[in-house]
Amino acid sequence: MSDQSLPRKSFKKRLAWLVGFACLVCCTLPLIAIAMGSTALVAFAVHLERAGIAIGAIGAILFLYILFVRRKGASCSVNCGCRPESTRGKNE
């Protein structure tokens, strides 16, 4: 048998397979990394459950403090009519 009787793989077909494999690798690696990272994060969180609860409670307390207790300064309108006389300029 001669080499001419065998079908010759074309360059385009080889290139298509190579690009397909590269695409598969490129799209699969981030998904694997996310899965491994999530697994590590869950394993880490199991060990630090008490710390997570404490941090969540502190965050909730700070949020409520800022929302209800902390006083906000007066806000002025465009003409600054709420500003005290002593701080107004002479041109006003």
Side-chain angles (χ1 to χ4, degrees):
M1 253 189 184
S2 67
D3 288 336
Q4 292 177 352
S5 65
L6 295 174
R8 185 174 166 213
K9 291 185 179 179
S10 68
F11 175 73
K12 290 180 183 179
K13 191 171 184 178
R14 287 182 191 168
L15 183 63
W17 277 103
L18 179 67
V19 169
F21 180 73
C23 181
L24 179 73
V25 170
C26 183
C27 293
T28 304
L29 286 179
L31 295 175
I32 292 171
I34 289 171
M36 290 174 63
S38 299
T39 304
L41 189 61
V42 167
F44 187 65
V46 167
H47 293 293
L48 296 177
E49 186 176 357
R50 289 184 184 157
I53 291 170
I55 290 171
I58 290 171
I61 290 169
L62 287 175
F63 174 74
L64 292 173
Y65 170 76
I66 290 171
L67 188 64
F68 293 115
V69 177
R70 191 171 156 191
R71 300 214 181 257
K72 297 178 182 169
S75 60
C76 294
S77 62
V78 175
N79 64 358
C80 295
C82 64
R83 204 166 55 170
E85 291 289 329
S86 61
T87 60
R88 292 186 186 179
K90 295 181 180 180
N91 295 336
E92 294 180 15

